Amino acid sequence: MAFLSRCVSRKLVATPGGWLLSQSRMASHSAAVGAHGHGQVATHGGHDSHGHGHVPAYRAAIGNREVVGYGWDGEPSYGDSVVWPYPAVRFQEPSAAFQSVIQKEKADWRNLSIDDKKKLYRYNYCETFSEMLAPTGVWKNITAIVIFWMTLGLWAFITLKKVYGPLPETFDDEHRLAQLKRMIDLRVGAVDGLASKWDYEKGRWKE
Amino acid sequence: MSISGLVRASMRLVTRQGNCVFQSRLGGVRFSHGQQETDEEWDQRMTNFFQRKDLDGWDVRRGLQELFSIDGVPDPVTISAALHACRRVNDHSLAVRFMETLRYKCGNKVREIYPYLIQEVRPTLDQLGISTPEDLGYDKPELALQNAEDMHTY
């Protein structure tokens, strides 16, 4: 229980200077009270209702959207993620269009129609899980690009084989062995290279 | 349903249920000192948490995120308690979202585990009037968003 209660009681406190994550509800309450006493902005959880005469800075970004939870990093922002399925704010502002379903939601849910429930869902969330997980089709784009470059490489290979003539005669074994013999005679790499591997007294490679 | 009724229902579920949910959960390290918590203790702890009457929306979301974060599917008893917690904070969409996470967490065993979960929590769903994502047609994509990265590139 200790871990869980530690998690659930982390609360967000907004100050003019930035964000503070208080470690307990008590702390955030006292911070709120203290800040209020000094005429500063402090909010707590879902209780950031107006009435102190101050509007938290994040209101510029989220408007009247209700802050309903911790989200993924404590910031009151919305985002759809299958890793953090419970964003910190509702997707829509509580406008007049939603007021009737919001009120109906407080009563028995069996009286809600499917349309009401869908409306409520889109009030809270932008995308459903299946929409988040829906295939984008971008694999076709990627496959096309990969095949394009593979084709280009293939054409380069065909060009080497068919368009240009055969390799020069210096590529055959006889010429290459002659070149090796010459390098040994010139003592190329006498310290730790080619010639160091050659035994000049016995006339063969060292053991 | 009263608390005692809920507990009785919970006990009934506990004695009745098979192993299929537990087997899908790995016995993970919980990074706690001392004795390691068993799966059953964890289920009980989460269930007790969701049965608390003083939870607000923040607490319920944190609890649901905790359920979501484990490597496994929660127990039907815990799910039931979580759905009741959603009812207490008057958030039907949260319950639907939670059901969606359950389906997601079933992974490639979704055809085996998910119907079992629905079958086990069906009484709670009917009692509270919660629609499953399938009832709302959310098992398939309903709307589409244009990808913001594709909007102004050309």
Side-chain angles (χ1 to χ4, degrees):
Chain A
M1 201 66 203
F3 173 66
L4 183 65
S5 59
R6 196 164 69 240
C7 282
V8 298
S9 63
R10 280 184 99 191
K11 293 292 179 185
L12 191 67
V13 178
T15 65
W19 298 104
L20 289 176
L21 284 174
S22 73
Q23 286 302 315
S24 74
R25 190 176 305 214
M26 267 332 244
S28 68
H29 267 310
S30 56
V33 170
H36 184 227
H38 292 93
Q40 291 183 331
V41 179
T43 60
H44 156 239
H47 304 278
D48 60 343
S49 57
H50 324 290
H52 295 317
H54 299 282
V55 178
Y58 61 76
R59 282 291 164 204
I62 67 171
N64 285 330
R65 287 173 182 82
E66 197 182 343
V67 180
V68 290
Y70 181 82
W72 50 88
D73 60 356
E75 295 280 340
S77 58
Y78 182 88
D80 280 314
S81 162
V82 292
V83 184
W84 302 98
Y86 309 107
V89 302
R90 298 197 202 279
F91 178 57
Q92 298 276 2
E93 296 189 59
S95 61
F98 292 109
Q99 282 307 322
S100 65
V101 281
I102 293 171
Q103 293 306 318
K104 278 173 92 175
E105 192 185 26
K106 292 174 181 166
D108 195 338
W109 287 346
R110 281 172 291 195
N111 298 332
L112 289 170
S113 69
I114 293 290
D115 283 343
D116 288 340
K117 287 170 177 176
K118 289 171 85 118
K119 198 170 176 183
L120 275 171
Y121 189 93
R122 299 292 182 180
Y123 166 59
N124 276 272
Y125 304 105
C126 176
E127 281 189 298
T128 66
F129 258 62
S130 56
E131 285 162 10
M132 279 186 257
L133 298 169
T136 58
V138 78
W139 68 270
K140 290 175 250 183
N141 202 338
I142 293 167
T143 310
I145 293 168
V146 168
I147 290 178
F148 171 79
W149 288 109
M150 283 168 68
T151 313
L152 220 60
L154 209 61
W155 276 115
F157 181 75
I158 291 170
T159 309
L160 284 176
K161 288 290 174 194
K162 302 290 179 194
V163 178
Y164 294 103
L167 292 171
E169 61 175 9
T170 47
F171 275 70
D172 61 33
D173 277 356
E174 189 187 342
H175 285 82
R176 287 162 67 194
L177 281 170
Q179 179 65 20
L180 182 64
K181 178 76 168 58
R182 181 175 157 78
M183 285 172 79
I184 287 168
D185 291 347
L186 289 173
R187 311 216 167 202
V188 172
V191 178
D192 52 4
L194 178 75
S196 71
K197 307 275 195 305
W198 185 261
D199 192 333
Y200 285 89
E201 292 179 2
K202 293 177 183 165
R204 57 184 170 90
W205 296 108
K206 286 178 181 172
E207 295 294 321
Chain B
M1 186 189 274
S2 66
I3 302 179
S4 59
L6 190 67
V7 170
R8 244 182 293 123
S10 307
M11 292 312 293
R12 210 161 52 235
L13 284 170
V14 166
T15 50
R16 174 151 60 102
Q17 73 182 335
N19 270 335
C20 77
V21 172
F22 288 127
Q23 278 171 359
S24 69
R25 177 182 300 158
L26 299 175
V29 180
R30 303 224 184 271
F31 297 102
S32 58
H33 295 287
Q35 199 176 3
Q36 199 174 326
E37 193 178 33
T38 64
D39 286 346
E40 288 74 15
E41 283 167 358
W42 188 85
D43 288 332
Q44 192 58 50
R45 183 163 64 85
M46 295 306 293
T47 310
N48 291 344
F49 171 75
F50 284 118
Q51 284 172 352
R52 282 169 55 175
K53 295 288 187 285
D54 57 345
L55 300 185
D56 63 10
W58 281 65
D59 300 326
V60 176
R61 280 170 177 81
R62 257 340 262 209
L64 293 180
Q65 183 68 47
E66 171 102 1
L67 278 190
F68 184 75
S69 304
I70 58 153
D71 188 9
V73 184
D75 191 80
V77 182
T78 313
I79 296 171
S80 206
L83 292 175
H84 275 96
C86 293
R87 172 66 265 196
R88 279 195 287 275
V89 299
N90 290 329
D91 206 329
H92 179 272
S93 312
L94 189 58
V96 177
R97 190 77 156 187
F98 175 50
M99 303 293 286
E100 287 187 279
T101 66
L102 293 178
R103 188 189 173 88
Y104 179 62
K105 294 238 67 169
C106 291
N108 54 11
K109 299 275 185 192
V110 64
R111 284 180 197 169
E112 297 152 45
I113 302 176
Y114 189 67
Y116 164 77
L117 293 179
I118 292 293
Q119 169 205 323
E120 292 294 310
V121 299
R122 177 57 70 187
T124 311
L125 294 175
D126 291 342
Q127 179 202 348
L128 299 179
I130 297 172
S131 295
T132 62
E134 290 71 35
D135 294 341
L136 301 181
Y138 289 163
D139 52 337
K140 292 182 182 62
E142 183 185 50
L143 305 172
L145 279 179
Q146 193 183 357
N147 188 344
E149 292 178 0
D150 292 342
M151 283 181 183
H152 302 296
T153 46
Y154 302 111

